Amino acid sequence: MKTRTILGSLLAFFAGLSLCLAADVQTGKWKLNEAKSKFNPGTGKNLMVVYVAAGDSMKVVVDGVDKDGKAVHSEWTGKFDGKDYPVTGAPNEDTRSYAKVDDHTLDFAGKKDGKTGANGRVVVAADGKSRTVTATVTDASGNKVTNVSVYDKQ
């Protein structure tokens, strides 16, 4: 009886552990580390980004400020399959796509009226404690600018 209980407990432990390890490393709450980030003047900042499972999809919730310091909030739900899914609350995007490159890397693109206005890459560090987002956006003047945002996992 004791042996069965111990084996059952070990089986449950390893099953739980494998589920945790299999979870997407992007999942969680990410807070901007402004000291480590590099922004071009006149661009907004995503201060907090949250990735949560939503059925067989992911939901990405972004809270930040625009170039004038005004609060912005956007939400996107979709799959990391490179296809466009609707985004709400983002003034410069009506769709966004994410494509999984590997276990720690995503490529993304934001579009407005079918035209790409932002694209970039999200890379989670090997230890899973930080991530770096390199994004190239087209500003109001039509110029492309690149920002590097570093986030710490909360």
Side-chain angles (χ1 to χ4, degrees):
M1 185 69 164
K2 257 185 171 180
T3 304
R4 250 191 247 177
T5 303
I6 291 171
L7 286 175
S9 296
L10 284 173
L11 181 63
F13 170 76
F14 285 113
L17 180 63
S18 67
L19 282 175
C20 289
L21 294 175
D24 195 300
V25 297
Q26 301 287 346
T27 303
K29 185 184 278 192
W30 300 93
K31 183 178 180 183
L32 179 67
N33 183 329
E34 290 193 58
K36 293 182 180 179
S37 300
K38 295 179 183 126
F39 296 98
N40 284 287
T43 58
K45 300 174 186 173
N46 294 335
L47 303 174
M48 184 71 69
V49 181
V50 180
Y51 287 71
V52 295
D56 65 346
S57 296
M58 290 295 285
K59 182 174 185 174
V60 180
V61 179
V62 179
D63 287 295
V65 293
D66 66 10
K67 64 181 179 71
D68 299 317
K70 182 180 171 189
V72 292
H73 174 89
S74 68
E75 296 187 15
W76 174 92
T77 302
K79 297 180 181 184
F80 296 155
D81 59 5
K83 295 179 183 175
D84 293 336
Y85 293 91
V87 62
T88 59
N92 299 322
E93 298 175 297
D94 48 30
T95 64
R96 189 181 303 150
S97 64
Y98 289 90
K100 192 170 188 171
V101 176
D102 60 38
D103 287 343
H104 288 260
T105 309
L106 294 174
D107 284 341
F108 67 89
K111 295 179 182 175
K112 180 78 169 183
D113 300 324
K115 183 177 179 182
T116 301
N119 60 24
R121 180 164 274 195
V122 180
V123 179
V124 175
D127 65 6
K129 294 180 182 179
S130 66
R131 71 184 197 131
T132 302
V133 179
T134 304
T136 301
V137 297
T138 304
D139 68 12
S141 304
N143 299 315
K144 291 188 181 223
V145 295
T146 300
N147 295 312
V148 178
S149 306
V150 177
Y151 293 84
D152 298 319
K153 191 148 193 182
Q154 300 299 293

